[in-house]
Amino acid sequence: MAKLVRLKPLDRKKGHVIHRYTTFQTTFEESKGWYRVPDHVAAYLATVHQLADDEDSPLAFDVCTREEAQRIDAAEKKKAEERALAAEPNVAMARDVAGLGADLTTADLRDPNRRSRSTAAAGRRA
């Protein structure tokens, strides 16, 4: 029975750094996603590490069945959507707090030559 394999998505923090890997006359590219391979190729790829000489480095490939691959893809898609949605409320909230309905411009910034009240009061006391 064939398995699905892919190079793990690039993530330098996790140690996933391989863009392309060639073996068994096949070049696997991280950007192209899942590949269907025979079981003996999947068994070998399940042992490949990100750094060839370092057994402690993370594994380079995800090796799984079709159902597992669909679950992985769905989880990654959900996580990406949550990250995208998380940025929206902050922008809207900042505009509401500032009392602005539109994007900020340089006219909305404080004049750098103008002193704050506390600095002006301290200058008068001195």
Side-chain angles (χ1 to χ4, degrees), residues 98 100 102-111:
L100 303 172
D103 291 334
L104 293 175
T105 65
T106 55
D108 298 317
L109 299 175
R110 186 175 85 75
D111 181 5

Side-chain angles (χ1 to χ4, degrees), residues 31-64:
S31 62
K32 295 205 177 173
W34 297 97
Y35 293 81
R36 183 180 308 280
V37 297
D39 286 338
H40 73 280
V41 175
Y44 170 74
L45 294 176
T47 66
V48 174
H49 288 266
Q50 292 284 333
L51 302 174
D53 299 332
D54 185 0
E55 293 282 323
D56 294 328
S57 69
L59 292 172
F61 286 88
D62 287 322
V63 179
C64 54

Side-chain angles (χ1 to χ4, degrees), residues 6-111:
R6 71 168 183 180
L7 276 168
K8 292 188 183 253
L10 295 176
D11 187 346
R12 295 206 183 277
K13 290 181 183 177
K14 292 181 179 179
H16 302 156
V17 296
I18 297 177
H19 297 271
R20 186 176 299 126
Y21 188 86
T22 302
T23 189
F24 295 101
Q25 293 85 32
T26 303
T27 299
F28 299 93
E29 294 185 39
E30 181 268 334
S31 62
K32 295 205 177 173
W34 297 97
Y35 293 81
R36 183 180 308 280
V37 297
D39 286 338
H40 73 280
V41 175
Y44 170 74
L45 294 176
T47 66
V48 174
H49 288 266
Q50 292 284 333
L51 302 174
D53 299 332
D54 185 0
E55 293 282 323
D56 294 328
S57 69
L59 292 172
F61 286 88
D62 287 322
V63 179
C64 54
T65 64
R66 177 185 278 293
E67 293 78 23
E68 292 169 332
Q70 289 172 339
R71 280 196 301 269
I72 290 170
D73 285 344
E76 287 176 353
K77 183 177 179 182
K78 182 179 178 183
K79 188 175 180 180
E81 289 171 355
E82 288 173 358
R83 276 195 310 261
L85 290 176
E88 290 181 24
N90 294 334
V91 173
M93 189 174 102
R95 288 182 184 154
D96 291 342
V97 169
L100 303 172
D103 291 334
L104 293 175
T105 65
T106 55
D108 298 317
L109 299 175
R110 186 175 85 75
D111 181 5

